[in-house]
Amino acid sequence: MRIFLLNSFLFGLAFCSFMSCDSRLQKKYITSCSFPEGATIEEKVRMAAHVVPSERQLEWQKMEKTCFICYGINTFTDREWGTGKEDPSLFNPTALDAGQWVRTAKDAGMKMILLTCKHHDGFCLWPSAYTDFSVKSTPWKDGKGDLVREVADACKEYGLKFAVYLSPWDMNHPDYGTERYNDFFVNQLTELLTQYGRVDEVWFDGACGEGPNGKKQVYDFKRYYEVIRRLQPEAVIAVMGPDVRWVGTESGYGRDTEWSVIPASANSLKDIAESSQQEAGSGTFLPEGDKQKKDLGSRKLLTDAKGVIWYPSEVDVSIRPGWYYHAKQDSLVKSPQKLIDIYYSSVGKNSLLLLNLPPDKRGLIHENDIRSLQGMTRILNETFRNNLLESAQLSSVDAALFTDGVLETYWQGNGENDAIEISFDKKQLFDRLLLQENITEGQRIEDFALECWMDNQWKVVAEGTTIGYKRILRFDPVETEKVRIVIRQSRDLPQVSEIGVYKASKEEVD
Ligand code: FUL
């Protein structure tokens, strides 16, 4: 059986194209592959099971929770989308403290700050040499301030990663809609990627509208990507980019079945742009499911695919109805319970969470937002404090393997009736199951169940499809002394790295 698998995998590899110079390539893992002409669905499935994240994608995924900061001229005009014609002197925060932003994010367990260095209006939070529509034309710090530097420095001080959002759409720049704009954009990108130290993510929005002369721009993404790879090779390029995929909704809710390995054709910039937000609206964004295709990576889709790529999902959502701060939304900040629901529906469904905390006109994250975040953090800490697996016995494996936090140490099934049986020393009450696959060798599991020993028989208590980097199932509390995780279908030998069994905090369920 093993020899057969190995042979057909090597057969597949012969046709695979290598996308990055990853050190793990020496172990013959790949971040994309093209299917050979005439490959059967079984061969395609097995090849897809061996596609892995690049080093930068893996590091990105491990952050789990990250923070978006939408701040700019819109904060002062009380709008979601500007016009590019604003008077820059409106930008005048009275008590701006980038340290408060970063500390707030850090306290909530977030590992990176993504700052809107320039939104669609074209107003820049750094004193760009290529336009006057920036902080240098404002009363803030007498025009001598540089907010990008303040945030980047605060990230260094508190040990968070730093990321830049640079809107390709620019409603202000006179060259927008001409080839010269691409030079201008590359110049701005170069400033951001060379003057502020390490950048871990560059985020390009899908929104693309008209500029001041009524023309739309043809963006030279290929050129932008080359600049990023050359200047910040560690950075992932997100949304309108090759490394990180937008989940397809701004509601905070990812898919139940979330494949990080999907047909290569899904990485189409046209599709991403079309499904991105097209109207500023009133601050209510795409409802759940809208524009979000249910299935991106199933066997059915692999049948017609010519190849697959590792393209993981990011869930971006705001803690308020709008992306920018509006005083009238102070009472509409998402509750801790809502944020927890979003956590389970993003991080708990094989996505990364990018949660927006928009600072107010003072230049501070509002007290109400902080209160909600603290509630969320309390609930998460309380729920995930005590992993029942730590005091459990496993039939044939050391439980420590599943609680060491290391993806590369894993249990591997043999492809037939695969199950991991766990016995507790006494009856335990729990309602959460956390699983992680060893994605450094591929995402494989397609169908699994949690079974509990009750009334002298195994009963299915919860079930799921994909696991990927992380999957957390919620179910009604059960009390038992024996459980098993049954892998019902997998694309190749399943590899489970981490297991957690928990009882949710009372604050969450009350
Ligand atoms: C959208 C934008 O148009 C919003 O203003 C915001 O920046 C959000 C993150 O992406 O497409």
Side-chain angles (χ1 to χ4, degrees):
M1 169 76 162
R2 279 214 81 148
I3 291 165
F4 165 72
L5 284 174
L6 187 68
N7 277 343
S8 47
F9 175 45
L10 291 177
F11 156 79
L13 269 184
F15 295 91
C16 288
S17 56
F18 293 90
M19 221 176 82
S20 78
C21 288
D22 195 298
S23 56
R24 274 172 294 111
L25 281 182
Q26 287 149 14
K27 281 167 70 185
K28 298 227 177 4
Y29 296 118
I30 46 167
T31 58
S32 71
C33 89
S34 331
F35 297 140
E37 197 61 38
T40 64
I41 180 62
E42 287 74 24
E43 285 161 349
K44 288 181 176 185
V45 163
R46 192 149 319 122
M47 288 165 74
H50 291 263
V51 169
V52 301
S54 64
E55 210 72 56
R56 60 170 91 82
Q57 286 172 316
L58 184 62
E59 288 311 307
W60 170 87
Q61 186 93 55
K62 284 180 179 169
M63 292 191 293
E64 300 193 1
K65 283 183 285 160
T66 58
C67 171
F68 203 172
I69 296 274
C70 286
Y71 199 66
I73 200 79
N74 294 336
T75 313
F76 297 86
T77 54
D78 207 10
R79 294 175 67 117
E80 276 298 307
W81 280 5
T83 59
K85 297 191 180 77
E86 292 84 356
D87 177 355
S89 67
L90 293 172
F91 183 90
N92 194 14
T94 47
L96 193 143
D97 179 4
Q100 186 244 17
W101 306 357
V102 179
R103 281 192 304 275
T104 302
K106 184 172 181 163
D107 290 347
M110 295 165 169
K111 301 286 191 267
M112 184 178 76
I113 302 279
L114 168 68
L115 177 67
T116 50
C117 300
K118 174 178 91 167
H119 202 245
H120 312 328
D121 45 69
F123 180 79
C124 300
L125 296 183
W126 81 103
S128 171
Y130 301 96
T131 177
D132 288 332
F133 196 47
S134 80
V135 281
K136 74 183 169 205
S137 308
T138 72
W140 180 61
K141 298 202 165 174
D142 294 326
K144 306 227 163 30
D146 181 344
L147 191 45
V148 175
R149 181 161 318 283
E150 292 194 14
V151 175
D153 286 354
C155 284
K156 280 186 205 97
E157 184 181 345
Y158 293 105
L160 267 72
K161 294 183 174 181
F162 174 66
V164 301
Y165 170 113
L166 185 67
S167 168
W169 183 14
D170 188 321
M171 300 171 177
N172 176 269
H173 201 269
D175 287 342
Y176 189 87
T178 72
E179 188 44 39
R180 280 195 309 276
Y181 177 79
N182 282 322
D183 296 334
F184 164 77
F185 191 79
V186 162
N187 286 335
Q188 289 206 318
L189 197 53
T190 305
E191 288 183 317
L192 291 174
L193 300 182
T194 55
Q195 296 177 7
Y196 301 97
R198 179 171 159 148
V199 171
D200 282 282
E201 181 167 338
V202 178
W203 215 92
F204 291 140
D205 207 292
C208 166
E210 293 174 0
N213 47 24
K215 287 194 208 145
K216 281 198 180 183
Q217 179 71 31
V218 179
Y219 302 125
D220 192 348
F221 278 112
K222 196 164 166 277
R223 190 169 159 211
Y224 309 164
Y225 300 162
E226 278 162 10
V227 173
I228 299 166
R229 292 290 194 244
R230 182 163 45 80
L231 298 176
Q232 294 281 349
E234 244 99 41
V236 291
I237 311 174
V239 184
M240 294 295 280
D243 302 316
V244 170
R245 166 171 58 87
W246 181 46
V247 74
T249 168
E250 294 176 340
S251 64
Y253 289 83
R255 297 171 186 77
D256 285 340
T257 301
E258 190 63 80
W259 286 103
S260 295
V261 180
I262 60 174
S265 57
N267 186 3
S268 136
L269 296 182
K270 190 169 157 283
D271 282 2
I272 300 167
E274 275 171 9
S275 56
S276 291
Q277 188 190 333
Q278 303 293 331
E279 283 167 38
S282 57
T284 42
F285 300 108
L286 303 174
E288 186 182 352
D290 193 9
K291 311 250 178 156
Q292 192 187 42
K293 289 182 190 139
K294 280 261 168 305
D295 173 17
L296 287 186
S298 69
R299 285 182 183 236
K300 191 163 165 271
L301 292 185
L302 293 188
T303 312
D304 298 325
K306 295 194 165 33
V308 282
I309 50 170
W310 188 273
Y311 199 30
S313 141
E314 180 178 76
V315 170
D316 62 329
V317 59
S318 185
I319 194 165
R320 290 166 168 254
W323 287 103
Y324 282 87
Y325 175 83
H326 309 287
K328 60 180 175 299
Q329 296 181 351
D330 282 350
S331 60
L332 302 174
V333 174
K334 291 184 173 65
S335 67
Q337 285 74 12
K338 175 76 177 170
L339 293 176
I340 287 290
D341 198 33
I342 286 175
Y343 172 82
Y344 282 117
S345 307
S346 53
V347 178
K349 289 186 180 172
N350 192 30
S351 287
L352 177 136
L353 174 61
L354 174 61
L355 179 64
N356 179 51
L357 310 176
D360 59 18
K361 287 190 184 181
R362 295 171 300 174
L364 296 172
I365 295 174
H366 193 271
E367 294 72 5
N368 294 3
D369 306 40
I370 294 182
R371 205 172 306 119
S372 264
L373 269 180
Q374 287 173 340
M376 174 190 87
T377 308
R378 230 179 11 251
I379 294 172
L380 287 180
N381 289 346
E382 174 67 19
T383 300
F384 294 103
R385 194 172 42 86
N386 181 25
N387 184 354
L388 296 175
L389 214 79
E390 269 157 25
S391 56
Q393 296 299 317
L394 275 76
S395 42
S396 51
V397 212
D398 181 0
L401 181 77
F402 296 119
T403 54
D404 62 2
V406 181
L407 283 182
E408 288 86 350
T409 58
Y410 55 86
W411 161 93
Q412 177 167 281
N414 62 20
E416 274 169 45
N417 304 323
D418 285 325
I420 304 164
E421 198 173 306
I422 303 161
S423 308
F424 305 114
D425 48 6
K426 57 177 191 321
K427 278 199 171 180
Q428 299 281 8
L429 184 71
F430 54 88
D431 51 13
R432 300 286 181 268
L433 171 71
L434 179 153
L435 295 171
Q436 291 191 266
E437 263 184 276
N438 175 26
I439 57 165
T440 70
E441 296 197 20
Q443 183 183 356
R444 301 179 178 180
I445 295 169
E446 294 180 298
D447 188 28
F448 68 96
L450 170 69
E451 296 182 356
C452 294
W453 186 252
M454 287 185 297
D455 307 325
N456 286 323
Q457 55 176 319
W458 288 111
K459 284 197 182 147
V460 174
V461 163
E463 45 199 347
T465 51
T466 45
I467 296 176
Y469 172 73
K470 186 170 272 189
R471 184 71 200 263
I472 311 173
L473 295 183
R474 291 177 282 181
F475 44 91
D476 289 339
V478 280
E479 196 167 22
T480 180
E481 50 195 346
K482 210 158 66 168
V483 303
R484 65 180 188 192
I485 292 148
V486 182
I487 311 298
R488 301 193 293 207
Q489 196 177 351
S490 185
R491 293 184 169 181
D492 205 334
L493 302 183
Q495 297 185 349
V496 177
S497 295
E498 299 292 301
I499 303 178
V501 178
Y502 304 96
K503 176 73 196 71
S505 141
K506 267 178 74 57
E507 193 179 344
E508 178 194 336
V509 283
D510 280 354

